[in-house]
Amino acid sequence: MDQARGSANVGYLVWRLSNRWRAATDRLLADHGLTHAQYAALASLHGLSVGGTRPSQRELADFTGLEPVYISKLVRSLEQSGFITRAVHPADTRAIELSLTDRGREVVAAAMPKVQEQVDRFTQPLGGTGGAGTQRLIATLQKLLDHEPSA
């Protein structure tokens, strides 16, 4: 066993895998003019917008688990690229409503299958996306995400 593997801990391995995943997704989405973080926000907004809903910036932050200030920066860059629009919420002037533009919907539709293929490639050692190993990993990661460690 090499030294890096022998001294690895869970946090280090999650960090390494996350960085590898992000970098691969950045390369995959470059032709669409998106980074991994921008895609995550855009795809999440797509999912939240089903049925014509216009989620707020705060709802998008809560859904993605990203800090509101980071979502604000992502939303600003996505708006500047013509993927989304922002508008003041009619019932709460402090809230910002988000919606995909036609261009945003087209980019998400084109990128989603590519990202899904990449997920399947990344999870092949566990049996692919639908494999039992992947399902156990999902359950374990969800358990860790749901856990609120005490200070």
Side-chain angles (χ1 to χ4, degrees), residues 6 11 16 22 25 36 50 57 76-77 101 110 114 116 119 127 138 145:
R16 288 226 17 230
R22 182 202 42 80
T25 306
H36 180 258
V50 173
Q57 204 164 286
R76 195 172 307 116
S77 71
T101 63
K114 293 178 181 180
Q116 188 55 49
V119 170
I138 289 169
L145 285 169

mmCIF file of all heavy atoms in Angstrom, residues 6 11 16 22 25 36 50 57 76-77 101 110 114 116 119 127 138 145:
data_model
loop_
_atom_site.group_PDB
_atom_site.id
_atom_site.type_symbol
_atom_site.label_atom_id
_atom_site.label_comp_id
_atom_site.label_asym_id
_atom_site.label_seq_id
_atom_site.Cartn_x
_atom_site.Cartn_y
_atom_site.Cartn_z
ATOM 1 N N GLY A 6 -2.153 4.657 2.733
ATOM 2 C CA GLY A 6 -2.013 4.170 4.100
ATOM 3 C C GLY A 6 -2.330 5.219 5.145
ATOM 4 O O GLY A 6 -2.786 4.891 6.225
ATOM 5 N N GLY A 11 -12.070 12.271 5.678
ATOM 6 C CA GLY A 11 -12.143 13.646 5.184
ATOM 7 C C GLY A 11 -11.239 13.873 3.993
ATOM 8 O O GLY A 11 -11.632 14.509 3.009
ATOM 9 N N ARG A 16 -10.483 14.565 -1.810
ATOM 10 C CA ARG A 16 -9.820 14.180 -3.068
ATOM 11 C C ARG A 16 -10.821 13.774 -4.124
ATOM 12 O O ARG A 16 -10.730 14.175 -5.285
ATOM 13 C CB ARG A 16 -8.836 13.039 -2.831
ATOM 14 C CG ARG A 16 -7.615 13.488 -2.081
ATOM 15 C CD ARG A 16 -6.273 13.049 -2.578
ATOM 16 N NE ARG A 16 -6.129 12.538 -3.909
ATOM 17 C CZ ARG A 16 -5.512 11.390 -4.211
ATOM 18 N NH1 ARG A 16 -5.007 10.632 -3.264
ATOM 19 N NH2 ARG A 16 -5.385 11.009 -5.453
ATOM 20 N N ARG A 22 -15.174 17.358 -9.400
ATOM 21 C CA ARG A 22 -15.378 18.745 -9.840
ATOM 22 C C ARG A 22 -14.547 19.059 -11.066
ATOM 23 O O ARG A 22 -15.038 19.636 -12.042
ATOM 24 C CB ARG A 22 -15.044 19.722 -8.713
ATOM 25 C CG ARG A 22 -15.295 21.177 -9.099
ATOM 26 C CD ARG A 22 -14.496 22.149 -8.246
ATOM 27 N NE ARG A 22 -13.136 21.757 -7.990
ATOM 28 C CZ ARG A 22 -12.110 21.906 -8.852
ATOM 29 N NH1 ARG A 22 -12.316 22.413 -10.048
ATOM 30 N NH2 ARG A 22 -10.894 21.534 -8.518
ATOM 31 N N THR A 25 -15.903 17.362 -14.132
ATOM 32 C CA THR A 25 -17.157 17.993 -14.550
ATOM 33 C C THR A 25 -16.889 19.360 -15.162
ATOM 34 O O THR A 25 -17.527 19.731 -16.152
ATOM 35 C CB THR A 25 -18.137 18.085 -13.368
ATOM 36 O OG1 THR A 25 -18.306 16.774 -12.812
ATOM 37 C CG2 THR A 25 -19.491 18.610 -13.804
ATOM 38 N N HIS A 36 -18.643 23.339 -12.860
ATOM 39 C CA HIS A 36 -19.413 22.362 -12.088
ATOM 40 C C HIS A 36 -20.386 23.070 -11.144
ATOM 41 O O HIS A 36 -21.556 22.703 -11.044
ATOM 42 C CB HIS A 36 -18.461 21.451 -11.304
ATOM 43 C CG HIS A 36 -19.163 20.424 -10.492
ATOM 44 N ND1 HIS A 36 -19.326 20.557 -9.131
ATOM 45 C CD2 HIS A 36 -19.769 19.266 -10.832
ATOM 46 C CE1 HIS A 36 -19.992 19.505 -8.674
ATOM 47 N NE2 HIS A 36 -20.275 18.709 -9.683
ATOM 48 N N VAL A 50 -39.935 22.969 -11.907
ATOM 49 C CA VAL A 50 -40.943 22.112 -12.531
ATOM 50 C C VAL A 50 -42.333 22.646 -12.195
ATOM 51 O O VAL A 50 -42.614 23.008 -11.060
ATOM 52 C CB VAL A 50 -40.778 20.649 -12.055
ATOM 53 C CG1 VAL A 50 -41.922 19.780 -12.556
ATOM 54 C CG2 VAL A 50 -39.447 20.094 -12.518
ATOM 55 N N GLN A 57 -33.851 32.859 -4.499
ATOM 56 C CA GLN A 57 -32.417 32.616 -4.385
ATOM 57 C C GLN A 57 -32.124 31.850 -3.099
ATOM 58 O O GLN A 57 -31.287 30.943 -3.069
ATOM 59 C CB GLN A 57 -31.695 33.967 -4.414
ATOM 60 C CG GLN A 57 -30.281 33.914 -4.851
ATOM 61 C CD GLN A 57 -29.774 35.294 -5.221
ATOM 62 O OE1 GLN A 57 -30.129 35.816 -6.261
ATOM 63 N NE2 GLN A 57 -28.946 35.875 -4.370
ATOM 64 N N ARG A 76 -25.507 35.498 -10.137
ATOM 65 C CA ARG A 76 -25.089 36.695 -10.873
ATOM 66 C C ARG A 76 -24.355 36.302 -12.156
ATOM 67 O O ARG A 76 -24.630 36.836 -13.234
ATOM 68 C CB ARG A 76 -24.200 37.574 -9.996
ATOM 69 C CG ARG A 76 -24.027 38.974 -10.538
ATOM 70 C CD ARG A 76 -23.307 39.910 -9.565
ATOM 71 N NE ARG A 76 -23.929 39.921 -8.246
ATOM 72 C CZ ARG A 76 -23.334 39.507 -7.122
ATOM 73 N NH1 ARG A 76 -22.103 39.083 -7.135
ATOM 74 N NH2 ARG A 76 -23.979 39.555 -5.974
ATOM 75 N N SER A 77 -23.436 35.338 -12.060
ATOM 76 C CA SER A 77 -22.686 34.925 -13.253
ATOM 77 C C SER A 77 -23.589 34.206 -14.251
ATOM 78 O O SER A 77 -23.446 34.377 -15.463
ATOM 79 C CB SER A 77 -21.488 34.055 -12.875
ATOM 80 O OG SER A 77 -21.890 32.781 -12.435
ATOM 81 N N THR A 101 -33.855 30.952 -18.457
ATOM 82 C CA THR A 101 -34.170 31.501 -19.770
ATOM 83 C C THR A 101 -34.273 30.328 -20.738
ATOM 84 O O THR A 101 -33.945 29.185 -20.388
ATOM 85 C CB THR A 101 -33.051 32.451 -20.240
ATOM 86 O OG1 THR A 101 -31.837 31.698 -20.371
ATOM 87 C CG2 THR A 101 -32.859 33.628 -19.279
ATOM 88 N N ALA A 110 -28.985 19.832 -22.655
ATOM 89 C CA ALA A 110 -27.831 19.272 -23.359
ATOM 90 C C ALA A 110 -26.794 18.704 -22.394
ATOM 91 O O ALA A 110 -26.143 17.695 -22.686
ATOM 92 C CB ALA A 110 -27.195 20.347 -24.242
ATOM 93 N N LYS A 114 -24.837 14.203 -20.433
ATOM 94 C CA LYS A 114 -23.381 14.088 -20.342
ATOM 95 C C LYS A 114 -22.939 13.909 -18.889
ATOM 96 O O LYS A 114 -22.070 13.098 -18.592
ATOM 97 C CB LYS A 114 -22.703 15.321 -20.942
ATOM 98 C CG LYS A 114 -22.882 15.446 -22.425
ATOM 99 C CD LYS A 114 -22.220 16.715 -22.921
ATOM 100 C CE LYS A 114 -22.410 16.880 -24.412
ATOM 101 N NZ LYS A 114 -21.771 18.104 -24.908
ATOM 102 N N GLN A 116 -24.781 12.730 -16.475
ATOM 103 C CA GLN A 116 -25.246 11.420 -16.021
ATOM 104 C C GLN A 116 -24.309 10.308 -16.507
ATOM 105 O O GLN A 116 -24.015 9.369 -15.754
ATOM 106 C CB GLN A 116 -26.682 11.151 -16.492
ATOM 107 C CG GLN A 116 -27.276 9.899 -15.890
ATOM 108 C CD GLN A 116 -27.237 9.892 -14.365
ATOM 109 O OE1 GLN A 116 -27.625 10.845 -13.712
ATOM 110 N NE2 GLN A 116 -26.761 8.816 -13.780
ATOM 111 N N VAL A 119 -21.342 10.373 -14.246
ATOM 112 C CA VAL A 119 -21.658 9.773 -12.948
ATOM 113 C C VAL A 119 -21.570 8.255 -13.056
ATOM 114 O O VAL A 119 -21.000 7.588 -12.183
ATOM 115 C CB VAL A 119 -23.053 10.217 -12.447
ATOM 116 C CG1 VAL A 119 -23.489 9.421 -11.225
ATOM 117 C CG2 VAL A 119 -23.066 11.707 -12.140
ATOM 118 N N GLY A 127 -20.422 -0.760 -9.403
ATOM 119 C CA GLY A 127 -21.510 -1.375 -10.149
ATOM 120 C C GLY A 127 -22.317 -0.400 -10.979
ATOM 121 O O GLY A 127 -23.394 -0.730 -11.449
ATOM 122 N N ILE A 138 -24.576 5.943 -1.543
ATOM 123 C CA ILE A 138 -25.560 7.029 -1.465
ATOM 124 C C ILE A 138 -26.187 7.074 -0.073
ATOM 125 O O ILE A 138 -26.296 8.143 0.537
ATOM 126 C CB ILE A 138 -26.640 6.876 -2.559
ATOM 127 C CG1 ILE A 138 -26.039 7.173 -3.930
ATOM 128 C CG2 ILE A 138 -27.842 7.780 -2.282
ATOM 129 C CD1 ILE A 138 -26.940 6.795 -5.098
ATOM 130 N N LEU A 145 -24.601 13.445 5.648
ATOM 131 C CA LEU A 145 -25.130 14.782 5.397
ATOM 132 C C LEU A 145 -26.250 15.144 6.358
ATOM 133 O O LEU A 145 -26.405 16.304 6.732
ATOM 134 C CB LEU A 145 -25.624 14.887 3.951
ATOM 135 C CG LEU A 145 -24.532 15.000 2.889
ATOM 136 C CD1 LEU A 145 -25.121 14.835 1.499
ATOM 137 C CD2 LEU A 145 -23.763 16.307 3.025
#
